[in-house]
Amino acid sequence: MEKTLKKVDIIFEIDDKQSPLSILEKTIKRSPDEIILDLIDSGLKGRGGAGFPTGLKWKFARNEDSETKYIICNADEGEPGTFKDREIIDRVPDKILTGMAICGYVVGAKEGFIYLRGEYNFLLKNLQKRVDDYNLGMKKLNFDFTIAIKSGSGAYVCGEESALFESMEGKRGEPRNKPPYPTVAGYNSKPTVINNVETLVYTSMICRMGPEQFKALGTSDSRGSKVFSVSGDTPISGIYELELGMPLNDFVNEFGDGDTKAVQVGGASGHCVPRKKFNDTIIGFEGIPTGGSMMIFNSSRSMYNVLHDYLEFFTEESCGQCTPCRVGCQQLLKGIEAVKRGERPPAYLDDLKKLTGTMKIAAKCGLGQSVGNPFNSIIDNFREEIIY
Amino acid sequence: MSTTEALVKELVEKNGKTRNSLMPVLQGIVQNERYLSEEALLSVARELDLSAADVYGTASFYTFLDTVPRGKNIIRVCKTITCHMKGKDEIVNSLCNALKIKVGETTHDNKFTLLTANCLGWCHKGPVMLINDEVYPDLTPQKALEIIEEYAKVAQ
Amino acid sequence: MSKYLVNLKINNMPISVEEGTTILEAAKMLNFKIPTLCNHPDLTVAGNCRVCVVEVKGARLLAASCATPVSEGMEVFTNSEKVRISRKHIVELLLSEHNADCTKCFKNGHCELQDLSSEYRIGDHVFLDMVKEESKIQDISSPSIIKDDSKCIRCQRCVRTCTELQGVSALAVVKKGDHQKISTFLNKPLHEVVCTNCGQCINRCPTGALTERNYIEEVWNAIYDPSKFVVVQTAPATRVALGEDLGIPVGQRVTGKMVAALKKLGINKVLDTDFTADLTIMEEGTELLTRLKRALVDKDETVVLPMMTSCSPGWIKFQEHMYPELLDNLSTCKSPQQMFGAVAKTYYADKINIKAQDMIVVSIMPCVAKKFECERPEMRDSGYQDVDYVLTTRELAMMIKQAGIDFDKLNDEHYDSILGESSGAAVIFGATGGVMEAALRTAYEIVTGREVPFTNLNIKPVRGMEGIKEASIKIKNVKPEWSFLEGVELNVAIAHGLANARQLMEKVKSGEAAYHFIEIMGCPGGCLGGGGQPIPTSPEIRKKRAEAIYSEDADMPIRKSHENPEVVEIYKDFLTEPLGHKSHDLLHTHYKPRKRY
Ligand SMILES: Cc1cc2nc3c(=O)[nH]c(=O)nc-3n(C[C@H](O)[C@H](O)[C@H](O)COP(=O)(O)O)c2cc1C
Ligand code: SF4
Ligand code: SF4
Ligand code: SF4
Ligand code: SF4
Ligand code: FES
Ligand code: FES
């Protein structure tokens, strides 16, 4: 099923006839199990990066036996090159709140929280107002669910779900051991559904339009569409909702500046794809999955600088608790510097690549596990740029 | 009771006397006082019945919860890749020259602290900076200087 | 509720274990050793060092075996290629941010990181040196503890110890990323923060990042100095643990060998803190009875009850920081170590005709807080610093090794006299509940003229490793002069480990429980689990040491403090009576409130 680039308008579409609150009103007339079936049927996978099937996640949480459960909207958006959640929060906040409320209905939670990164504090005032209005709306529907906002304070790793819970509990944002998973023990050790901003909007849209229309988009592995954050060397940087499953080549043709040398798919923790692989690379879970960040580099850019920037980012933003990540990131960063300066031979890069192998399987959380993605894909494709 | 203690008491009252309130309380202090002084950290520890080291350990994890004195206005210029590509160095240099400080420092009149930050989520409009909670995308050195001039005026 | 059994295979060997067991525990049952660093039997699971990773068939990631529960059908490999490579990388990474100058390191030969790197033959590993210069500046502000960040592997065992076991949280993890480290409030030196000097963090630090401030050279110098007369006192708990550092199995008593070794080292007189433990019972027991009398007979409202023991300097500093409002509850008695120092440089010096200024009193202690205690300005009642140097059990073991003494082959020797005689009641000071038991043995007999009504004098309800213990003893048929105690139910409580102490103090403050007497020991298990005892420590090890202590007590000819003939003698010759004028001058002290925040 070869897809081509297609722009879609689901997330930001404003439907004058049907407010998000009325979607909630309509949806809670159905049974939770029906809603879960629809979500599973839609094939929706999480848009926060890990790509876990959303319907299943809700089902697990629903199956937990607990008085208290929580719904959390992950709005910590810290992945370099990603800015779509900010735009969604700014433009269609009620759709997010609807997704949260439906989720609360489905799993049996009475409280929801939006964890908004500190860098987005300027959104707070307006968002708080929308949340207040929405809470009022739910009250009028006699629907027992309340949403509140929690703020982050500048720590990328707090986007990792268990670190986010720690942070909400007033602690250092250090990721926890898994299992237990959030649906069993999340915030305050209670069953918790945590979803990305965009995922929640899609759930409310699927509830509005049914799974079929969503399923019709994308491929069998990657259903539907997704919002992309396009930046770098492009004349038309910005936010675009695109059908999943397109070849990267299409994307570059649409967004590149004619001189594209590489695209970093999935942000700093994603993969760098060089020009010669544009044709064979599918954007989706079967190819390279992405939380939506697409950074385009043209031939004037030094890939050494790109990698150096990423590694600096991870070195600073690692929570620091586990050995492979805390020390590994420093070794990678200082390692490429040493090779660049000629203090280590080029073959040292291969030692470092092996090290990323360990980081990938032995680090405690997704941060340390994914540092090898940019490292290996840049070293493999632009080795000379790193050495000379 | 000092103003800091009063502030902490008020914030704890508002958010609840539990550990889960630690972040909003610390954020509230930073909002008002720009950084967490020793006095502020100690009174948070006292009010929430936590150890002082624990409060400091938690605060120091978060980039925005500063524990060293900061100026009235905190400038954070994004230093991550796209902003880097789009000229954040020039922005930082022109701010350094205009304010006569280096990154990480505070002006003598205590009006500005200049910092860098990781990706601020405006990569399509880089370079970008935050001043306190306000965001300024699509910067040029010229624009950046004009913006801080506005702040300098207000601060007077 | 019975637990489900889970079936799994480890290195192809089948095993069934209870649900909730970790892979690490299951592997241990099959005798597969998996290396660990951040894991510790006394602490919650952290899962941050990652050296314990294992491969689980079908899983994308390796699993941290200490933090991963078993699941049905799991197939685990503890030494696959992936596991070995990862583990080796992890040790190499740790070493790359480690100031590995083992030959200069106090932990040389006793270091978990060193063991691991020698096991994996990590010679000249390839990674770059990441040791930060500023991390090499040691914190030597505390008289008890040295903190060297350049040797820290961030396992957070110390932080968990200080928080979970001690309820102090003087240490915390600060900052993140490459700046993450273990530190104090605003990175202040240890002596400026709420650290109690208990040393429990030292006992659980796998490396040389936290060690006791050692005084080995100072003591050797004193021994070699002909103008000095060196007197040693040994604390109760040292005799059931010293052997562990000298190749003797856990739980074996080495009292006689310890004395013999000390004599071989060239110590002039080897005496016993147990003597002053008995003396403590006389003073503290009398203090308790006096307080009770003032409260019950004189209806004196200024009397503060419950009275709390004061033998544990870590506990004392804890109380000064955390509950300054309860300082008057503390017994005014000095700890046995300090009573010893004060008596040694006065009464004893006179007896043996040595000038106090020529005498060096060295303590062998299971404790590092005692190093701090002996430097307190209040502890100079002899006119000199009463105790000159405090060595931990571990430091003594090092000296014995340095002297080339074959410890195991030594014949038992006796303590010198005087100040060397003791009772079983003094020995049990080393275990949680021991001071209480000793006090009850004496006080009950003083009041009733009869022995405590427990088989073989073993007051079982106050023994054991429960965090907080409570007991009541009904006092009946008292002697006429104690008639006010007739029928009184004496309520006592015991806590060990400062986190438990904190809980108990909260109860006292809330008035929820009306106790008369409370025993607190700063360290888990009491002094036998002290911060200066051989490393490693675990609930099992402490249990064995406790058993050794109680069997030492059972074997003693004298079991009650008031029957120690040297104690009787010192009152006759010197002190006149408990709480008398001399006692007041030499054996009692006062406390000072310190900042909690
Ligand atoms: C280091 C790190 C940072 C993350 N940051 C975010 C984030 O900012 N937003 C987000 O939605 N998910 C983030 N995630 C993924 C979350 O852990 C989690 O998988 C996600 O919120 C689940 O939502 P979804 O199923 O809707 O994708 C991050 C993961 C890691 C390891
Ligand atoms: S991988 Fe990195 S961010 Fe994740 S737990 Fe380990 S140190 Fe922390
Ligand atoms: S801590 Fe261990 S590995 Fe490090 S220098 Fe000391 S003995 Fe060597
Ligand atoms: S000595 Fe005791 S109180 Fe001090 S840091 Fe160590 S564990 Fe905490
Ligand atoms: S000081 Fe010791 S116990 Fe604490 S983190 Fe460092 S190595 Fe671990
Ligand atoms: S890189 Fe600067 S805002 Fe994202
Ligand atoms: S021992 Fe398991 S992660 Fe450290």
Side-chain angles (χ1 to χ4, degrees), chain C residues 21-41:
Chain C
T21 310
T22 62
I23 298 177
L24 181 70
E25 290 160 346
K28 205 170 174 185
M29 293 175 201
L30 287 171
N31 295 320
F32 290 118
K33 186 186 155 214
I34 300 173
T36 55
L37 281 172
C38 67
N39 196 56
H40 194 282

Side-chain angles (χ1 to χ4, degrees), chain C residues 177-237:
Chain C
D178 52 336
H179 293 290
Q180 187 245 33
K181 62 174 181 175
I182 309 301
S183 194
T184 55
F185 177 60
L186 290 171
N187 309 310
K188 290 176 190 279
L190 273 172
H191 83 117
E192 284 179 26
V193 299
V194 292
C195 169
T196 67
N197 298 306
C198 72
Q200 287 300 313
C201 51
I202 298 176
N203 279 12
R204 290 170 187 76
C205 177
T207 69
L210 288 166
T211 52
E212 64 263 57
R213 179 110 165 236
N214 83 80
Y215 296 87
I216 295 176
E217 292 310 315
E218 285 82 347
V219 172
W220 278 126
N221 288 341
I223 291 174
Y224 294 143
D225 185 342
S227 70
K228 296 293 180 203
F229 189 84
V230 183
V231 170
V232 154
Q233 56 165 326
T234 65

Side-chain angles (χ1 to χ4, degrees), chain B residues 91-128:
Chain B
I91 308 294
V92 170
N93 285 340
S94 66
L95 290 175
C96 284
N97 288 336
L99 299 171
K100 300 192 174 56
I101 51 174
K102 293 205 273 291
V103 173
E105 292 178 350
T106 301
T107 52
H108 282 304
D109 59 9
N110 223 21
K111 275 186 195 158
F112 294 98
T113 298
L114 178 62
L115 303 171
T116 54
N118 284 323
C119 181
L120 296 171
W122 289 87
C123 326
H124 56 321
K125 294 191 172 169
V128 54

Side-chain angles (χ1 to χ4, degrees), chain A residues 154 172 177 315 317-318 320-324 326-327 330-331 334 344 348 354 358 360-362 364 369, chain C residues 46-50 61-62 67 86 89 93-94 96-97 126-128 130 154 173-178 180:
Chain A
R172 299 166 54 81
N177 293 303
T315 303
E317 294 295 338
S318 152
Q321 70 165 313
C322 82
T323 315
R326 178 188 66 248
V327 200
Q330 295 178 60
Q331 287 294 351
K334 299 290 170 200
R344 289 277 159 135
Y348 186 58
K354 281 190 203 132
T358 290
K360 190 183 174 110
I361 57 176
K364 186 166 176 176
Q369 289 157 13
Chain C
N48 59 30
C49 76
R50 315 305 285 178
L61 305 171
L62 301 182
S86 295
H89 268 143
L93 288 177
L94 285 173
S96 78
E97 63 168 3
V126 296
F127 296 124
L128 301 167
M130 291 287 161
R154 274 79 149 186
V173 188
V174 309
K175 308 237 173 90
K176 65 169 181 281
D178 52 336
Q180 187 245 33

Side-chain angles (χ1 to χ4, degrees), chain A residues 18-263:
Chain A
Q18 207 174 15
S19 75
L21 190 65
S22 66
I23 300 177
L24 173 68
E25 187 176 4
K26 209 180 72 189
T27 307
I28 56 177
K29 297 201 173 104
R30 306 174 62 203
S31 84
D33 291 325
E34 260 181 284
I35 301 168
I36 288 179
L37 281 180
D38 268 7
L39 279 181
I40 293 178
D41 185 32
S42 75
L44 174 64
K45 290 183 183 171
R47 299 304 197 226
F52 193 82
T54 307
L56 264 182
K57 191 185 273 190
W58 290 21
K59 188 176 166 179
F60 290 157
R62 175 171 168 71
N63 290 345
E64 285 298 315
D65 186 16
S66 171
E67 278 287 294
T68 314
K69 297 180 186 179
Y70 298 107
I71 311 302
I72 292 174
C73 166
N74 188 342
D76 196 44
E77 188 164 59
E79 186 67 48
T82 316
F83 40 89
K84 46 120 188 157
D85 292 342
R86 172 179 53 70
E87 202 82 7
I88 297 174
I89 297 164
D90 198 24
R91 284 161 58 186
V92 287
D94 286 17
K95 290 190 180 182
I96 309 168
L97 306 179
T98 300
M100 293 175 72
I102 294 174
C103 184
Y105 169 68
V106 167
V107 309
K110 305 264 175 283
E111 270 183 279
F113 298 96
I114 302 172
Y115 187 93
L116 185 70
R117 71 187 301 220
E119 289 84 343
Y120 292 169
N121 274 348
F122 54 86
L123 293 173
L124 257 178
K125 218 164 125 194
N126 190 40
L127 183 63
Q128 187 62 56
K129 198 176 158 337
R130 302 301 286 262
V131 167
D132 291 343
D133 288 351
Y134 201 88
N135 279 337
L136 209 66
M138 290 190 286
K139 213 172 195 165
K140 282 193 187 134
L141 291 179
N142 266 328
F143 179 67
D144 185 9
F145 192 74
T146 331
I147 298 172
I149 307 173
K150 298 270 172 183
S151 291
S153 269
Y156 163 69
V157 69
C158 286
E160 197 278 342
E161 50 201 24
S162 61
L164 186 148
F165 304 145
E166 291 285 301
S167 175
M168 280 178 58
E169 292 174 16
K171 301 180 204 143
R172 299 166 54 81
E174 293 183 359
R176 300 175 181 169
N177 293 303
K178 289 173 204 158
Y181 294 95
T183 48
V184 176
Y187 176 51
N188 288 342
S189 303
K190 301 286 186 227
T192 304
V193 170
I194 177 163
N195 274 129
N196 175 251
V197 171
E198 184 187 342
T199 314
L200 286 164
V201 174
Y202 276 123
T203 61
S204 65
M205 292 297 95
I206 290 167
C207 287
R208 190 196 68 179
M209 65 194 187
E212 294 305 326
Q213 204 179 326
F214 184 80
K215 219 164 62 171
L217 294 169
T219 64
S220 57
D221 284 332
S222 312
R223 295 289 181 202
S225 49
K226 133 147 250 351
V227 184
F228 287 84
S229 313
V230 184
S231 67
D233 295 315
T234 162
I236 46 169
S237 58
I239 303 281
Y240 299 89
E241 186 175 2
L242 306 171
E243 188 177 0
L244 282 171
M246 69 192 143
L248 185 53
N249 213 15
D250 278 23
F251 178 88
V252 172
N253 286 340
E254 175 81 17
F255 295 102
D257 61 359
D259 184 24
T260 304
K261 151 163 117 176
V263 180

